[in-house]
Amino acid sequence: MELTQNELIGKLEKISGLYKATVAIRTEMDEFVPDDHYKREVIVPAFPGDFQTEEERAVWTDRLDHTGAEAPEVAEQAHRRFYGPKKPEKPKIKDFEKPEDRELRNKQTKFNGLSKLFAGIAIFFFLGTLLNLNDEYSVLPTLIIITVLAAAAFLFFGYMVKQLKAEEAKKEAEALAAYNRQKEEIMAEYAKKMKVYEGECTEYEVTLKSFLEDYLAWREIFIQSVKEEAQIAEKLEADRKAAVEKIYEERYLPAEAALNECNDLVSEEYLPNLKVIIDLLKSKRADDLKEAINLYEELVYRERQLQLQREQEEQRRREEEQRRQDEERRHKEEMQFRESQERQRRYEEEQRRRDEERHHQEDMKQREQQARDEKLRADKERQSQKRCVWCAHRSTCRQQYYDGAYNCTGFTPRR
């Protein structure tokens, strides 16, 4: 017979209550945890070792896999790494580098050049002396004096070069001695550290041996405890299955039977949302069960469409945000590129200006040097002309009026 709306609502509420009861029983079965009333025969002592804090002891207890075959080796390596003495690092001594005294080296170069210069002058005037031995108006005494003075200067600067080299060798020897002393001190300090390290290693090996012995004894108890816990876990799992089976037979099956006996109106797929259907009937938005179910399906469809729109809007917002970020990044990269180009342009402009300034200064120096050379050449030419005019060999000399005539060793005054 056809039910009135109030009767329909009442029956649906009863069906909903029976369904909730089955759901509650299923949840209880899924989350059931049996009471652990089993007594532990194996008591694991605290992890062996002297630790500053209990947190440090807990790290050793929990972080290491004590059941593995390689556990003793791992424990030994970890103990060595954290508590073993640290070997001193062998000092790295650089190779000896000769001290560089630029002032001394410049003096050597200067005096060596002057020595060669005066050697050349001495040889030049000595040859001039040989060529003027038979001249009527001989300048032999002057040439001899110049030769002697040049030779003396050559010997003096040669002596100075030897003195500077000896001074350089002395400084190098002193630097080498200081280097060797420092090297010996460093190695002696390293030897002391190694001696202390070796003593610490001897003491540590005793400590490590004691720790490993205690650890092996502790590990045997720990493994027994693990095996005991595994056996208890099997028993607890068996207790859980038995309790769940009992709940299933004594409570769930009767509740499910009562639900199936009462429910001849709603298919199983609508049972989780039966409250919504009841609310539609109570609010008069639907006049019967069929209309309430159709309206529920329409509400579900609308909600799916709204959810789809929300997801699309969220996707569009993310894409817009990504586009905005990409645009900002491109703008930032473009600005950085422009700034880089501007910096490069300014650098090239500054470099060009410095190059022009340097070329200008070099050109000015070159012109000044040319002017000085021209003036010197003109002065020499005037002096040569004056000297050649008063020379007795003017009519036969091929050197007259040329550069160098002013210093001509064959000059003989006319009577």
Side-chain angles (χ1 to χ4, degrees), residues 135-160:
D135 286 350
E136 186 177 355
Y137 296 99
S138 176
V139 291
L140 186 60
T142 302
L143 297 177
I144 292 174
I145 292 173
I146 294 174
T147 302
V148 171
L149 291 176
F154 162 72
L155 295 175
F156 171 76
F157 287 115
Y159 171 77
M160 291 301 297

Side-chain angles (χ1 to χ4, degrees), residues 68-238:
E70 70 283 357
E73 289 77 8
V74 173
E76 179 182 357
Q77 293 174 4
H79 198 279
R80 287 186 183 277
R81 183 167 64 253
F82 289 105
Y83 304 110
K86 301 299 184 290
K87 184 177 181 179
E89 184 178 356
K90 187 174 182 179
K92 298 179 180 179
I93 303 177
K94 296 182 179 180
D95 295 334
F96 174 72
E97 295 181 359
K98 294 183 180 179
E100 183 178 357
D101 191 336
R102 293 186 178 180
E103 182 179 358
L104 193 63
R105 185 60 58 85
N106 291 336
K107 285 183 179 180
Q108 287 188 32
T109 303
K110 178 181 177 181
F111 289 164
N112 192 33
L114 290 174
S115 176
K116 293 179 179 179
L117 174 63
F118 281 106
I121 293 174
I123 294 172
F124 177 79
F125 280 97
F126 177 74
L127 295 176
T129 301
L130 296 178
L131 294 175
N132 287 274
L133 288 176
N134 298 323
D135 286 350
E136 186 177 355
Y137 296 99
S138 176
V139 291
L140 186 60
T142 302
L143 297 177
I144 292 174
I145 292 173
I146 294 174
T147 302
V148 171
L149 291 176
F154 162 72
L155 295 175
F156 171 76
F157 287 115
Y159 171 77
M160 291 301 297
V161 170
K162 291 182 179 179
Q163 290 295 109
L164 291 174
K165 288 183 177 180
E167 183 178 355
E168 183 180 16
K170 180 181 178 181
K171 288 184 177 181
E172 182 178 343
E174 292 175 351
L176 180 60
Y179 168 81
N180 290 330
R181 285 195 301 271
Q182 183 181 16
K183 182 178 178 180
E184 291 175 357
E185 291 175 358
I186 293 174
M187 295 307 297
E189 183 67 22
Y190 173 69
K192 291 180 181 178
K193 291 181 180 180
M194 284 299 298
K195 188 174 181 180
V196 173
Y197 168 73
E198 291 172 357
E200 292 176 348
C201 286
T202 303
E203 296 178 0
Y204 172 73
E205 290 299 328
V206 176
T207 303
L208 178 62
K209 182 179 179 181
S210 176
F211 166 76
L212 291 176
E213 291 175 352
D214 295 340
Y215 172 72
L216 291 175
W218 177 89
R219 179 171 174 267
E220 290 182 2
I221 300 175
F222 178 82
I223 292 176
Q224 293 176 6
S225 175
V226 170
K227 293 179 179 178
E228 184 181 47
E229 289 296 333
Q231 294 172 358
I232 293 175
E234 292 179 357
K235 295 178 181 179
L236 290 174
E237 179 63 18

Side-chain angles (χ1 to χ4, degrees), residues 303-319:
E303 180 61 28
R304 290 175 180 172
Q305 292 298 111
L306 289 175
Q307 181 63 26
L308 180 60
Q309 291 178 4
R310 286 193 291 269
E311 292 176 357
Q312 291 175 347
E313 179 63 23
E314 180 65 20
Q315 179 66 22
R316 186 198 63 80
R317 189 192 64 78
R318 287 197 297 267
E319 291 177 354

Side-chain angles (χ1 to χ4, degrees), residues 238-285:
D239 294 344
R240 188 193 68 80
K241 290 181 178 180
V244 169
E245 184 67 22
K246 183 178 180 181
I247 294 173
Y248 178 77
E249 293 178 354
E250 294 180 358
R251 296 170 56 193
Y252 181 76
L253 288 180
E256 187 180 33
L259 174 62
N260 293 335
E261 182 180 356
C262 179
N263 181 25
D264 56 354
L265 298 176
V266 183
S267 60
E268 186 176 356
E269 61 178 310
Y270 295 111
L271 289 177
N273 302 290
L274 194 56
K275 185 178 182 303
V276 179
I277 296 174
I278 294 173
D279 290 340
L280 293 175
L281 291 170
K282 286 182 177 182
S283 63
K284 305 299 182 181
R285 296 178 63 185

